[in-house]
DNA sequence: CGAAACAGTACCAGCATGGTCCTATATCTA
DNA sequence: TAGATATAGGACCATGCTGGTACTGTTTCG
């Protein structure tokens, strides 16, 4: 559960990879699906599907025709993994009763916590939004650690049900 | 994407509900699946499935036989929604290459960010772990807001690729 | 002993995922 | 201009998972 789709996983891998290559060449490299397929081991048609999605979302620029391919223009630390997820899997919506979701929750009328899922959802989106591709490229040791702690779930922080 | 299963959603609803009823009766009420099905509108067999899961995970105590049912023993602010999610959907594992996951990521060998998904995953788990059933029962206004912000993804915090 | 209620498991339909393929279009090179 | 290269866009299908159902066993109360 709570699994993001394989396509999204691929997408992150590819974006990181492209960023790294870009860094080495210190220029905007144009990647063909064939090249990326080779680099990552993901079958070519699938690579195409992923990149199409990313380009539609504006995370990549596509260049058609011979000598064409995909170009990353934003640097790795300007792209969050949340953006990538949303590009391929649509808006992050934990439950059916979250704003972005299309169909509504079955128990909506009896459940007194409609709005609360939104908060939880936002928190997760925020956590995902904090992590950039640059972070993903780091060795685990230097990883920034997306902030979430602050209060273990036993204690009341300040905004809790104290009021 | 990023959707938690309906069963989990139900589970949270039921747990919140039971907690509330418990509060009113100021005692450990025993709930039958029939009762909960009526209260929530979820079909009885499905309720049973959900509660079985919760009881197996130790979030509920089951009482068999006539006059039996399920009893919540922990108070609402002692149960995080992360626990509920894990009870029904198994460990939270964003991608295949996260610790808890069984099968391994296809691109594992070429991808230089194995460990990093774990961090992201932990962050989410932490966010989910901060939110208790008591929080979910609150009206949205008083909701604690699980902490995640702290740094927008544009700036380098300290541990970024500065080194 | 019989009714009530959970436990466990097997089963099945529907749907989403993800992988493939085909056609159209744009661009470069010869 | 012709042809090769590469993406765009979509249709397509197989597989697996989700969630809902049913049935049988077991425990407890009366
Ligand atoms: S869980 Fe869906 S409306 Fe409350
Ligand atoms: S994304 Fe799976 S190992 Fe890197």
């Amino acid at each position: 559960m709570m699994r993001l789709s394989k396509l999204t996983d691929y997408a992150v891998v590819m974006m990181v990879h492209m960023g790294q290559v870009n860094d080495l060449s210190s220029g905007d490299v144009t990647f063909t699906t064939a090249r990326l397929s080779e680099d990552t081991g993901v079958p070519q048609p699938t690579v195409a599907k992923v990149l199409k999605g990313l380009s539609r979302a504006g995370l990549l620029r596509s260049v058609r025709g011979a000598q064409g391919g995909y170009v990353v223009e934003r640097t790795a630390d300007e792209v969050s993994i949340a953006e990538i997820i949303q590009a391929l899997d649509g808006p992050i919506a934990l439950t059916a009763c979250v704003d972005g979701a299309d169909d509504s929750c079955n128990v909506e009328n009896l459940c007194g916590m409609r709005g609360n899922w939104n908060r939880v959802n936002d928190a997760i989106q925020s956590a995902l939004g904090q992590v950039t591709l640059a972070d993903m490229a780091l060795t685990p040791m230097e990883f920034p650690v997306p902030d979430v702690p602050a209060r273990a779930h036993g204690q009341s922080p300040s905004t809790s049900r104290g009021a």
Side-chain angles (χ1 to χ4, degrees), chain A:
Chain A
M1 104 95 223
M2 202 67 208
R3 202 58 154 276
L4 45 79
S5 71
K6 257 193 226 177
L7 291 202
T8 309
D9 194 2
Y10 293 160
V12 175
V13 174
M14 290 177 206
M15 289 294 281
V16 168
H17 177 68
M18 289 166 105
Q20 286 172 333
V21 174
N22 252 350
D23 268 3
L24 291 182
S25 323
S26 59
D28 289 354
V29 181
T30 304
F31 296 85
T32 67
T33 58
R35 157 96 187 265
L36 279 177
S37 166
E38 205 176 311
D39 285 0
T40 61
V42 178
Q44 192 164 353
T46 304
V47 173
K49 181 178 264 191
V50 169
L51 295 207
K52 266 181 262 188
L54 292 174
S55 121
R56 215 171 311 147
L59 293 174
L60 289 177
R61 184 165 53 87
S62 71
V63 182
R64 299 175 66 160
Q67 304 289 19
Y70 291 94
V71 184
V72 214
E73 279 171 317
R74 286 202 262 167
T75 63
D77 61 354
E78 287 171 345
V79 182
S80 73
I81 60 177
E83 288 181 89
I84 298 181
I85 294 176
Q86 284 166 346
L88 293 192
D89 286 351
I92 295 176
L94 263 193
T95 70
C97 39
V98 159
D99 280 347
D102 29 350
D103 55 355
S104 54
C105 179
N106 309 14
V107 290
E108 211 152 17
N109 30 357
L110 320 128
C111 158
M113 58 190 198
R114 251 158 316 257
N116 291 339
W117 276 122
N118 278 328
R119 310 300 188 100
V120 178
N121 205 62
D122 288 350
I124 289 180
Q125 181 151 7
S126 166
L128 252 23
Q130 277 175 44
V131 182
T132 69
L133 287 181
D135 294 332
M136 292 304 281
L138 296 175
T139 58
M141 299 204 54
E142 0 172 42
F143 196 89
V145 181
D147 300 306
V148 185
R151 77 189 183 83
H153 58 262
Q155 65 225 9
S156 345
S158 60
T159 30
S160 208
R161 79 230 132 258

